[in-house]
Amino acid sequence: MRAWKWLLVVAVFAVLAAPASAADERFVIRFGIVLLEPTADSVIEGRTAELDQAWGGGFDFEWMFGQRVGLEGSIATAVDADINRDDETAAGVTVTPVTVGLNGHLVRNDKLDWFVGVVVGQMYFADFDFEDDTTTVSSESSTTYGAQTGVDFAVSENGKWAIHFGVKYLVADVDRGRVTLDVDPLLVRAMGVFRWSVPPAVSGLPR
């Protein structure tokens, strides 16, 4: 069984079994830097190619529709990644994963928020060509899925501002005959966090 399935089991157990916490913010945004670390090799025209790690940025929005469960949308962009094939390099490749996911919050209070979740979405690869100009790959996308875990540490007294450290693993590959992009990236994230609530009288949402 893949690791993400175990994370799903843990998340569901936490949602069903854990007591309610004192934190009541309904909305969470996370924004900051992302390190993309590929964990698989690609094949381009019969030759093995490897995508280098790359830095980028990310943005998440999470709606807490329960004390222990949240629905999250996320986008990240890793820029200037190099694809190395033998002695050739395709420079400046941009990889953009866009996902939605369900998070189970195992610990959630005014000081700490630890969650695990499962995600699904699309992985986008921008155009690239190798320095010898013999191979050009047009924009491609791939369905992706995976798992994540992260912790928000409060840095303000009211708990609304926090810093986030987390990792997300995605399974993503594009198979177009002569080109197979098999990236399966690990996204390591360090982000700022802001949490807030809209009063029920304004939002009309149940609390």
Side-chain angles (χ1 to χ4, degrees):
M1 181 181 291
R2 290 180 178 271
W4 67 268
K5 292 184 178 179
W6 284 109
L7 287 176
L8 176 60
V9 171
V10 173
V12 171
F13 178 82
V15 171
L16 295 177
S21 73
D24 62 356
E25 286 81 5
R26 294 291 300 275
F27 306 103
V28 183
I29 57 172
R30 302 180 181 93
F31 50 92
I33 59 174
V34 174
L35 173 64
L36 182 145
E37 181 67 52
T39 64
D41 291 333
S42 300
V43 176
I44 299 177
E45 294 188 330
R47 287 185 284 172
T48 300
E50 182 179 24
L51 182 70
D52 286 346
Q53 65 177 210
W55 292 92
F59 179 85
D60 302 346
F61 174 80
E62 184 175 10
W63 169 44
M64 297 295 302
F65 60 88
Q67 285 287 342
R68 293 281 181 172
V69 63
L71 180 65
E72 178 192 274
S74 176
I75 182 171
T77 297
V79 297
D80 292 334
D82 290 343
I83 296 182
N84 301 304
R85 184 184 64 177
D86 298 335
D87 58 349
E88 302 169 327
T89 299
V93 180
T94 298
V95 181
T96 304
V98 180
T99 61
V100 294
L102 190 67
N103 293 330
H105 292 252
L106 283 69
V107 178
R108 186 168 186 255
N109 53 51
D110 291 337
K111 300 300 180 183
L112 179 70
D113 188 347
W114 173 35
F115 63 87
V116 297
V118 291
V119 299
V120 65
Q122 287 285 313
M123 182 88 70
Y124 297 93
F125 302 88
D127 295 353
F128 64 87
D129 57 80
F130 285 89
E131 292 173 347
D132 63 359
D133 293 327
T134 62
T135 303
T136 299
V137 178
S138 60
S139 298
E140 298 285 359
S141 66
S142 168
T143 299
T144 185
Y145 61 90
Q148 67 176 351
T149 184
V151 182
D152 298 340
F153 297 97
V155 295
S156 63
E157 290 187 4
N158 60 12
K160 293 185 179 298
W161 289 97
I163 55 174
H164 169 83
F165 299 100
V167 293
K168 178 187 293 186
Y169 177 74
L170 298 174
V171 176
D173 60 81
V174 175
D175 190 353
R176 296 294 184 269
R178 66 187 182 90
V179 176
T180 299
L181 298 176
D182 191 6
V183 181
D184 294 352
L186 185 69
L187 303 177
V188 182
R189 313 191 305 165
M191 308 178 116
V193 182
F194 181 69
R195 305 184 291 193
W196 79 99
S197 289
V198 177
V202 176
S203 67
L205 296 174
R207 297 301 299 274

